[in-house]
Amino acid sequence: QAQLVESGGGLVQAGGSLTLSCAASGRIFSISSMGWYRQAPGKERELVAVIRSSGSTSYTDSVKGRFTISGDNAKNTVYLQMNSLKPDDTAVYYCNVQAGWGATYWGQGTQVTVSS
């Protein structure tokens, strides 16, 4: 059974930094990408950043230059370094894994709150 365990959320002042991590374990075959989504109250879930098995990365425009996604293939772990945080970054952040045969896995979510 696959499991994604997230950590690193919390409360931070505007301009501060946080690092999220997500460790994937269990029966997950052929991971093609790992990423982070977020969902703010009253808004739809949006893709924040993704790292593919090739090492390529993509970011939503609002976080470019402030967030950095990285991965450790040996540990099946993905990280999201978030700098210069803004109140608009406040949301529940979800880890996502895309794997073989179209399998998709989600973490339980971790709250990030940025105070002004």
Side-chain angles (χ1 to χ4, degrees):
Q1 186 174 355
Q3 186 177 18
L4 304 184
V5 178
E6 302 159 346
S7 62
L11 173 64
V12 65
Q13 288 187 333
S17 298
L18 284 174
T19 300
L20 306 182
S21 64
C22 171
S25 61
R27 289 179 167 267
I28 303 178
F29 298 102
S30 187
I31 293 176
S32 58
S33 70
M34 300 184 76
W36 291 94
Y37 286 69
R38 67 186 178 186
Q39 187 166 20
K43 295 186 177 181
E44 294 186 355
R45 190 173 297 190
E46 66 169 347
L47 175 64
V48 177
V50 62
I51 183 166
R52 303 171 187 86
S53 58
S54 64
S56 67
T57 58
S58 298
Y59 299 87
T60 191
D61 286 346
S62 63
V63 308
K64 287 179 180 178
R66 300 188 298 122
F67 292 9
T68 302
I69 190 168
S70 61
D72 184 334
N73 290 336
K75 298 181 179 179
N76 279 350
T77 299
V78 64
Y79 306 94
L80 186 68
Q81 174 67 43
M82 305 184 292
N83 298 326
S84 302
L85 282 161
K86 304 175 181 179
D88 284 349
D89 296 317
T90 295
V92 178
Y93 284 70
Y94 296 91
C95 178
N96 172 270
V97 170
Q98 302 288 326
W101 298 286
T104 299
Y105 304 93
W106 291 95
Q108 78 282 3
T110 185
Q111 177 71 46
V112 171
T113 303
V114 184
S115 63
S116 58

